[in-house]
Amino acid sequence: VSYMSEKIDLKNVTFIIPIRIEHENRLENLEVVIDYLDHHFDTNIMVFESSPQSMLMHHPCIKKVKYIWEFSDDETFHRTKILNNMLEEVETEFVANYDTDVLFPVQSYIDTVEELKKGKAIVFPYLGPFHEVNRKFIPEIREKKEVNWIPLNECGINHPNSVGGAIFFNTKIYKSLGGECEPFFSWGAEDNFRVNMFQIFGYEIVRVGTVLYHLEHWRGKNSTEKNPHYYKNMQIFYDTAYMTKEQMRTFIDT
């Protein structure tokens, strides 16, 4: 199917993308993602850079998005807080909590938004498999503006049933549940907590689409278990995993 004729209307969605550019891979991945989304969709993209200095201020890809830079010389990337800062600015009916490095076939985005329109609160644009895409494929992704040609047998699988990467929400419901849980710092378990929280409040976790295509990148300690907050993050997840709705509400409110 060719979507070249005109952009698909996703004006009711805001993609919120938190970033810290620790390596040129990250910058290139962001360019690819913005270019891809902007090529296919008439939508809203917000990029929030938290870093000691802005790497994006004068970058051409930023012209297509709402860009926010915040000074931070903290080694830890406080992703949950940054997402909440962006969430406050979101005025669209739906919002996508979106990583710098992920792409999906065009149809997956359309199907995801259709589910949200039916009243679903949380929808994943893929069925679970999280594939690692070698950087050698990036020039062709840029050119074709599509991903479903990528040979999955040449892509490692990071996770068979991931709950991260990109999650689409009904904005009002996401905000009513407090958005992201800020006691989670850096990387680890916040994705599992989020899914568990929605389930505790009685919302169905919906999946559509195929697989997640993750553009390979250099990994600093904010992207691995080596970050100093990892075990504390896991502990929060375990402590909240079996809460009742009332207990979870109290936890969120405090």
Side-chain angles (χ1 to χ4, degrees), residues 102-113:
V102 299
L103 292 171
F104 305 90
V106 173
Q107 192 61 43
S108 300
Y109 298 88
I110 298 166
D111 294 347
T112 299
V113 175

Side-chain angles (χ1 to χ4, degrees), residues 22 29 49 131 183 190 201 223 250:
E22 303 147 308
N29 289 357
E49 183 183 16
H131 286 273
E190 74 280 8
F201 282 102
S223 307
T250 306

Side-chain angles (χ1 to χ4, degrees), residues 140-155:
E140 210 172 331
I141 296 170
R142 282 182 183 267
E143 187 194 339
K144 288 182 173 166
K145 304 277 196 291
E146 194 40 281
V147 288
N148 46 15
W149 57 271
I150 296 169
L152 291 178
N153 59 340
E154 291 185 43
C155 300

Side-chain angles (χ1 to χ4, degrees), residues 73 150 178 194 196:
D73 55 7
I150 296 169
R194 192 186 300 115
N196 198 44

Side-chain angles (χ1 to χ4, degrees), residues 48-193:
F48 191 118
E49 183 183 16
S50 169
S51 57
Q53 62 189 69
S54 167
M55 307 288 283
L56 292 170
M57 193 82 75
H58 303 297
H59 195 282
C61 74
I62 288 306
K63 291 186 175 68
K64 299 173 181 173
V65 308
K66 176 174 181 176
Y67 170 65
I68 302 159
W69 172 66
E70 174 188 71
F71 171 80
S72 168
D73 55 7
D74 188 343
E75 266 191 33
T76 300
F77 187 58
H78 198 170
R79 185 189 175 82
T80 49
K81 187 173 194 300
I82 294 162
L83 283 163
N84 280 345
N85 288 344
M86 284 194 275
L87 187 58
E88 277 177 32
E89 309 270 322
V90 173
E91 292 171 2
T92 52
E93 189 179 358
F94 309 126
V95 58
N97 168 343
Y98 204 88
D99 278 6
T100 325
D101 316 285
V102 299
L103 292 171
F104 305 90
V106 173
Q107 192 61 43
S108 300
Y109 298 88
I110 298 166
D111 294 347
T112 299
V113 175
E114 283 307 310
E115 288 298 320
L116 290 168
K117 284 181 184 167
K118 288 180 199 165
K120 299 294 193 260
I122 175 170
V123 186
F124 286 90
Y126 68 110
L127 298 177
F130 188 118
H131 286 273
E132 191 74 359
V133 177
N134 191 292
R135 299 200 69 76
K136 70 180 180 187
F137 293 119
I138 285 181
E140 210 172 331
I141 296 170
R142 282 182 183 267
E143 187 194 339
K144 288 182 173 166
K145 304 277 196 291
E146 194 40 281
V147 288
N148 46 15
W149 57 271
I150 296 169
L152 291 178
N153 59 340
E154 291 185 43
C155 300
I157 190 153
N158 274 359
H159 199 302
N161 196 27
S162 170
V163 287
I167 312 100
F168 286 64
F169 301 93
N170 174 302
T171 308
K172 197 177 282 182
I173 295 172
Y174 192 23
K175 286 181 177 178
S176 77
L177 299 184
E180 292 294 293
C181 179
E182 293 185 21
F184 286 97
F185 282 85
S186 190
W187 182 86
E190 74 280 8
D191 295 332
N192 306 78
F193 170 85

Side-chain angles (χ1 to χ4, degrees), residues 9-17 37-38 41-47 64-66 90-96:
D9 182 357
L10 290 190
K11 287 198 283 284
N12 54 358
V13 180
T14 303
F15 290 84
I16 56 176
I17 306 176
L37 294 174
D38 179 68
F41 307 114
D42 181 5
T43 191
N44 312 280
I45 304 169
M46 199 186 296
V47 173
K64 299 173 181 173
V65 308
K66 176 174 181 176
V90 173
E91 292 171 2
T92 52
E93 189 179 358
F94 309 126
V95 58

